[in-house]
Amino acid sequence: MSHDSQQNTPWIVSLAAGGFAGAYPFEFAKTRVQLREQKGIPTPRNPFRVVAGVYSTEGLSALYKGCSALVVGSVAKDGIRFLSFDTIKETFKDPETGTLTPGRNLGAGMCSGVVASLFAVTPTERIKTALIDDARTEKRFHSTPHAIRTILATDGFLGLYRGLAGTTLKQAGATAFRMGTYNILKDYERTRQIPQTTLTNFANGSVAGIVTTLATQPFDTIKTRCQSARGASTVEACRSVVADYGVRGFWKGTTMRLGRTVFSGGILFTTYEWAAAILNPLVRKTGVVKESV
C-alpha cells in the first residue's frame, strides 16, 4: 500500500490486514461460463440464470463446490500479496527521493502477484475450478480432500499447478494494475490534499477493480480452461476459446467478474486501511516487530 515514506508498515500488519480483507465470496457463475459448454447444454450469459439453473437441477450444495478452496486461497492470496507488496515496494523506491513512480508501483505489484500465484493462488484455483467442472460432468470428486488426492494420484504434484502460466500472468497483471492504480490514485489525492476517508478508499479500490478486470480477463479465461477437471495446456486452452467464441471469448465472464471486483476492490482496500490503522499502533506499542527498513 502507499504510505508516507517515513511510515512503513510492519510485515505482520500487512499479513494480518491483507488476510482479513481477502475472504470474499466465490465466483461460481463466472467459472461455469468460462468452462467449455456441454454438448446441447449452452451456458446462459446471465449469472442469475446460471445460479438458478444449477440450483434447480443439481441442488444447493452444487453452488458451493470449490468454496472452501477459494476461501482458503483468497485469504492466503491477499495476505501474501499485501505482505510481499509492502516488502517488495521498499526495493523499488527511488533511491534519491524514496518515492514510488507509477512505473515502479506497477513493477512492485507485478512481482508480488507472481509470489502470490506460486505460493497460494494456482493450487487453490486449480482445486476450485476442477471441483466446479467435475460437478457438472463426471462427478469423480466427492469432496475437496478427495479432489486433491485424485489429482495427486493422477498427475502428481504438478497436477495442482495446471494453469500456472495463465494464473501467474493474471495475478501479476491483476496485482500490478490493482495495487498500482490504487496507489497512483492515492498519491494524486495526496498531492491535491484530498482527505483519505472511507469513501475515497472505497472509490479508489473500485476503480482499481475495474481497471484490473478489463486488463486481465483474457488470462482469467485461459486459467479457467487450463484448470478444468481433466486439465489442459495453455495452448490448448487458447485454441479452445477461439474455436468456441472467437477472440471475444477471452473476455467471457467479464460482467460477472466486474460485479465482484468493483465491490470487493472497494471493500478490500477500505478494510485494509481500516485494519492497518488499528493494527499499526498496537504492533508498535507492544513491540511485537520492528518497523520495516
Side-chain angles (χ1 to χ4, degrees), residues 28-29 44 46-57 59 63:
F28 177 89
N46 188 316
F48 296 103
R49 289 186 61 191
V50 174
V51 172
V54 171
Y55 174 76
S56 62
T57 58
L63 294 173

Side-chain angles (χ1 to χ4, degrees), residues 240-263:
S240 69
V241 172
V242 174
D244 290 345
Y245 307 110
V247 175
R248 65 180 182 179
F250 288 108
W251 276 268
K252 269 280 186 180
T254 298
T255 302
M256 300 176 194
R257 189 172 166 220
L258 271 175
R260 179 180 65 82
T261 55
V262 169
F263 288 101

Side-chain angles (χ1 to χ4, degrees), residues 233-287:
S233 69
T234 302
V235 173
E236 291 170 342
C238 291
R239 286 176 177 170
S240 69
V241 172
V242 174
D244 290 345
Y245 307 110
V247 175
R248 65 180 182 179
F250 288 108
W251 276 268
K252 269 280 186 180
T254 298
T255 302
M256 300 176 194
R257 189 172 166 220
L258 271 175
R260 179 180 65 82
T261 55
V262 169
F263 288 101
S264 68
I267 294 171
L268 176 68
F269 284 103
T270 301
T271 307
Y272 180 89
E273 298 286 4
W274 171 76
I278 294 176
L279 292 172
N280 261 320
L282 292 176
V283 169
R284 293 191 176 95
K285 184 177 180 180
T286 57

Side-chain angles (χ1 to χ4, degrees), residues 180-196:
T181 300
Y182 183 81
N183 280 278
I184 289 169
L185 289 172
K186 282 198 69 174
D187 289 341
Y188 174 81
E189 291 162 355
R190 185 175 290 111
T191 60
R192 296 297 187 277
Q193 297 184 334
I194 298 174
Q196 293 300 294

